Amino acid sequence: MEIGRSGIQIDLQNLLAIYAYANTPSYLYRRMRADQSLINLARSIDPKELIQLYNDHIKKDQRPIEDTVIGYSLLVTITLLNNHKLASSLLQEINPKLLEWGERIRQIYESEATPNSIQIIQIPFEPPQINKESKTETSTTIKTIPLGTS
Amino acid sequence: MIRPRLSTFAEQVIIDRQSNHLSLINVLEEFVFDTFPTILAKISLVNIIERDETDPEQLTGRLTIEMEGNRIVDQEIGVDFQGKLRVRNVTVFGGVPLAGPGKLTATLMMDDVVLGTCFINVSSRPRIANEPAS
């Protein structure tokens, strides 16, 4: 389903199903964090737009269940941002208490968030220098192992 | 005070997206090879570092890998606690050359403070008598 003006896609059917089965904030938080559409959203969305969308869907007097699920989804999307400091400040900027389990989800995130930094270092291969003027004799030993017989 | 909590080599490191739990697969303590020189195709180093509230959030460390006095890697590493008191630093190395048996030592330092150090013993497998050289 598309939400917002800039064509943001989330898998609302899956998120509604998670919400319907959720009996604890922890369950809702963990299952929504595994939703691929929210993982993709966290990679691409502008944080300001995220807050705007959250406010648009949550600050209604009588909101349909879809808006509540979108609210939780956006809250969880904040926790999926690859920057703990930014996520913490966004969670303070929005009001998670507008959702019944919002504040509990924020607490779970804060208690479990340990920042990770990952580097990949590829060491360039340097072949050993061979002196072309020197002659070396090489010999190859081929070891033949007979196949097992019964 | 900045202090190391854990420093170890592993074949594979997994950080679970849902729970943010860290898993080390095949923790490495020793390598035994038939022949040298050889290359380690992939090896991961995990450093978990802790700080106090009064310590800075962002640090610049220096990560080195040495083998018997021969420096294989010397890399500057940024460490960002992002407001928390603990951070995990995972470094994946590809193509680590090993010239011969010895002690492969990784050290993460900030100024003169060692934030994490660990080593792997690298040895050659003893030849069986009359075994042809491979």
Side-chain angles (χ1 to χ4, degrees):
Chain A
M1 182 197 169
E2 202 170 282
I3 57 168
R5 286 184 290 275
S6 54
I8 292 162
Q9 295 281 340
I10 59 167
D11 186 354
L12 190 61
Q13 284 301 316
N14 184 46
L15 295 164
L16 274 166
I18 293 169
Y19 181 73
Y21 280 109
N23 53 359
T24 62
S26 175
Y27 178 94
L28 184 68
Y29 171 69
R30 292 187 206 295
R31 292 296 304 272
M32 280 194 168
R33 274 176 72 89
D35 182 87
Q36 192 58 48
S37 68
L38 297 189
I39 293 169
N40 293 341
L41 183 61
R43 286 183 188 142
S44 58
I45 195 166
D46 177 42
K48 284 179 187 169
E49 191 177 5
L50 217 160
I51 290 174
Q52 184 63 47
L53 277 172
Y54 180 85
N55 290 336
D56 288 350
H57 285 88
I58 292 305
K59 287 183 177 170
K60 291 176 184 172
D61 292 334
Q62 287 187 324
R63 57 176 182 253
I65 190 168
E66 285 83 2
D67 280 348
T68 300
V69 171
I70 290 170
Y72 277 118
S73 302
L74 295 170
L75 193 70
V76 170
T77 302
I78 292 173
T79 72
L80 286 166
L81 295 173
N82 205 13
N83 184 329
H84 170 72
K85 210 169 188 175
L86 174 65
S88 275
S89 68
L90 290 178
L91 287 172
Q92 285 184 344
E93 199 171 325
I94 65 168
N95 187 0
K97 289 177 184 167
L98 293 172
L99 293 163
E100 190 184 350
W101 289 344
E103 179 57 18
R104 185 73 193 107
I105 286 174
R106 190 193 69 78
Q107 287 171 357
I108 294 169
Y109 169 69
E110 287 293 349
S111 67
E112 292 182 351
T114 300
N116 303 299
S117 65
I118 300 166
Q119 300 89 33
I120 298 171
I121 298 174
Q122 185 66 41
I123 301 167
F125 174 66
E126 292 175 11
Q129 294 294 314
I130 298 168
N131 187 351
K132 289 180 181 174
E133 290 180 3
S134 68
K135 288 183 179 177
T136 51
E137 289 183 9
T138 57
S139 64
T140 308
T141 306
I142 299 171
K143 188 180 176 185
T144 307
I145 303 168
L147 289 170
T149 51
S150 54
Chain B
M1 191 181 78
I2 307 285
R3 56 195 173 274
R5 173 84 177 262
L6 172 81
S7 182
T8 190
F9 280 113
E11 200 171 293
Q12 204 171 6
V13 176
I14 297 169
I15 297 168
D16 183 67
R17 186 84 194 186
Q18 286 182 59
S19 64
N20 198 32
H21 291 167
L22 175 78
S23 299
L24 307 182
I25 310 297
N26 297 344
V27 173
L28 301 169
E29 62 216 68
E30 186 178 25
F31 280 123
V32 182
F33 293 105
D34 286 333
T35 55
F36 289 96
T38 190
I39 286 180
L40 297 176
K42 187 186 160 196
I43 185 171
S44 301
L45 173 69
V46 178
N47 282 296
I48 299 177
I49 307 160
E50 286 183 336
R51 72 176 179 108
D52 293 327
E53 291 276 7
T54 51
D55 291 319
E57 281 186 26
Q58 291 181 333
L59 310 169
T60 303
R62 183 155 285 279
L63 179 65
T64 58
I65 288 198
E66 290 184 340
M67 179 79 179
E68 296 299 308
N70 178 29
R71 191 159 285 193
I72 300 166
V73 173
D74 189 348
Q75 181 82 32
E76 206 168 76
I77 297 283
V79 178
D80 188 353
F81 285 86
Q82 296 183 29
K84 304 291 279 188
L85 299 178
R86 190 171 62 244
V87 69
R88 300 170 184 148
N89 186 276
V90 179
T91 310
V92 182
F93 299 97
V96 178
L98 300 175
K103 201 171 174 181
L104 185 74
T105 308
T107 309
L108 179 61
M109 292 190 74
M110 190 201 69
D111 298 329
D112 291 334
V113 181
V114 175
L115 298 181
T117 184
C118 61
F119 67 88
I120 304 179
N121 284 321
V122 180
S123 57
S124 60
R125 188 169 65 88
R127 286 248 165 78
I128 301 165
N130 300 327
E131 183 188 17
S134 55

